[in-house]
Amino acid sequence: MKNISFGYINHTHWIRFVSTYLLLLITYTIATPYAGDFEDFGASAKALGLGNAYTAVASDASAIYYNPAGSNLLNRSQILFLHSENYTGGIVQNNFISYVYLTKPQSYGVALLTNRIPDIKITKLPYPDLPPSDTNRPYIDRIVNASDWIVYFNYAHNIVTNLNLGFNFKLIYRSLGIGSAFGTGLDFGAIYQMPVDLMVATKISNLTTSPLFWSNKTREVIMPKLFVGLAKQIKLNNASLLLSSDLENNFDQNELYANFGAEYHYKNAFSLRAGLFRYNPCFGVGLNYKRFFLDYAFVSSSFQAELGSSHKMSGGILL
């Protein structure tokens, strides 16, 4: 039986490639909890409106972030952008821009994710060896900005009928104002399109436990996260109903989340969305006009009220 070939890589090489990285994954056992949380703000208002239950339905340019295999499900090449203001006063600013170039049966993509927290006050004590008091009040020493930058390089391919696999190689830069770090990572995704408009998918982010090397000579390791998604589309007269769900496992925190979403899509022009993301209600709307699309999402922090809610705006153009 012949190997199923694509480009310069054949099916056997893919299996060896994945097996090697899974073996590397097992060899790493030490990680810093929450080290990878800076990558959790999202990349699409459409996805957040669906409660971030997007692993199985990531079929726009944000798929680079949500499921590297999904970029090969686009109907044509695409550019997407996102801007969001997160938590009370928009204290965390999150931006994402991506481009997917489609050359069936494969696709190539590049994306940039940034987070920024401005005006962080660094304080000192006049007498550092003494505890704070009325005569030893903290004062502002300087004001710094914290930022995160991730560049994604994406490749996806249709391996066999209805099965797409994809990978991201990513470069990571973090600056906390008082130190900085560089790192690399690898994401893997798969989507299988079953009959009757049913989608099954999985994604593993930071497959090889992405290392971060800090300027103070310390090292952090970002543990993988596993996502398993299921989605079903129901066709109606001049409309459709999408139901999606995700299971999300954070290995470094030993946490398991279930995310859910629903979308009513009318005449390929207007969408209403609702979902539940890590127990927080989400709502969203979407507009499509010719080759342009625009989406908005509101993410409530009902279970973390002290953080406040988030507003997400994203949009793009079909090329």
Side-chain angles (χ1 to χ4, degrees):
M1 181 177 177
K2 294 183 178 180
N3 291 326
I4 302 170
S5 63
F6 50 96
Y8 293 99
I9 306 175
N10 62 35
H11 189 57
T12 302
H13 291 160
W14 271 94
I15 295 174
R16 290 175 180 172
F17 182 71
V18 175
S19 300
T20 300
Y21 275 108
L22 288 176
L23 180 62
L24 287 171
L25 172 62
I26 295 172
T27 64
Y28 286 99
T29 58
I30 300 175
T32 305
Y34 308 102
D37 281 6
F38 62 90
E39 200 177 2
D40 285 353
F41 287 105
S44 165
K46 178 179 179 180
L48 267 299
L50 284 165
N52 232 35
Y54 211 56
T55 305
V57 292
S59 56
D60 58 21
S62 70
I64 295 176
Y65 174 93
Y66 288 101
N67 189 333
S71 58
N72 204 44
L73 297 181
L74 277 67
N75 294 322
R76 55 197 300 177
S77 299
Q78 186 181 120
I79 295 174
L80 178 142
F81 68 89
L82 168 130
H83 175 74
S84 68
E85 304 284 339
N86 302 279
Y87 310 135
T88 301
I91 187 173
V92 181
Q93 301 168 9
N94 168 225
N95 296 283
F96 180 82
I97 185 169
S98 61
Y99 168 65
V100 171
Y101 177 66
L102 198 63
T103 59
K104 292 290 188 179
Q106 59 196 3
S107 64
Y108 304 88
V110 62
L112 173 65
L113 174 72
T114 68
N115 303 317
R116 184 172 181 268
I117 306 176
D119 302 329
I120 301 173
K121 296 178 176 63
I122 305 298
T123 62
K124 285 186 176 181
L125 291 171
Y127 307 102
D129 296 331
L130 299 177
S133 66
D134 290 339
T135 58
N136 194 27
R137 295 174 181 265
Y139 65 94
I140 298 173
D141 180 61
R142 64 188 187 276
I143 297 176
V144 300
N145 299 320
S147 61
D148 305 304
W149 299 76
I150 308 176
V151 179
Y152 300 82
F153 300 96
N154 172 259
Y155 175 78
H157 200 284
N158 179 237
I159 302 300
V160 293
T161 303
N162 296 332
L163 175 62
N164 288 275
L165 299 183
F167 287 89
N168 292 333
F169 173 72
K170 56 192 181 185
L171 302 174
I172 304 168
Y173 173 74
R174 302 201 70 193
S175 174
L176 300 183
I178 55 175
S180 60
F182 288 94
T184 60
L186 185 72
D187 303 329
F188 166 76
I191 295 182
Y192 181 65
Q193 298 170 289
M194 300 177 67
V196 297
D197 297 317
L198 187 66
M199 308 281 284
V200 180
T202 187
K203 174 198 171 185
I204 305 175
S205 63
N206 300 300
L207 179 64
T208 57
T209 58
S210 306
L212 294 175
F213 300 94
W214 287 90
S215 55
N216 63 358
K217 308 303 181 183
T218 60
R219 178 175 178 265
E220 284 185 311
V221 175
I222 304 174
M223 283 292 283
K225 291 184 180 181
L226 172 66
F227 300 82
V228 178
L230 182 67
K232 167 68 175 176
Q233 188 172 46
I234 303 170
K235 295 180 180 179
L236 308 170
N237 290 332
N238 297 320
S240 64
L241 179 65
L242 174 67
L243 303 174
S244 62
S245 62
D246 269 18
L247 285 178
E248 174 187 348
N249 188 1
N250 298 338
F251 292 106
D252 61 343
Q253 303 162 33
N254 195 28
E255 295 176 334
L256 181 66
Y257 296 105
N259 303 324
F260 302 95
E263 177 190 61
Y264 176 77
H265 189 63
Y266 181 70
K267 286 188 175 180
N268 197 34
F270 177 73
S271 300
L272 289 175
R273 307 180 183 110
L276 200 63
F277 172 48
R278 296 182 179 177
Y279 314 115
N280 297 298
C282 306
F283 308 95
V285 295
L287 296 172
N288 296 75
Y289 178 71
K290 294 184 178 180
R291 295 187 297 128
F292 301 91
F293 59 93
L294 184 65
D295 298 292
Y296 167 79
F298 173 79
V299 182
S300 170
S301 294
S302 57
F303 286 81
Q304 294 176 306
E306 70 279 2
L307 296 178
S309 301
S310 301
H311 300 272
K312 312 276 185 177
M313 289 287 298
S314 67
I317 182 172
L318 306 177
L319 302 176

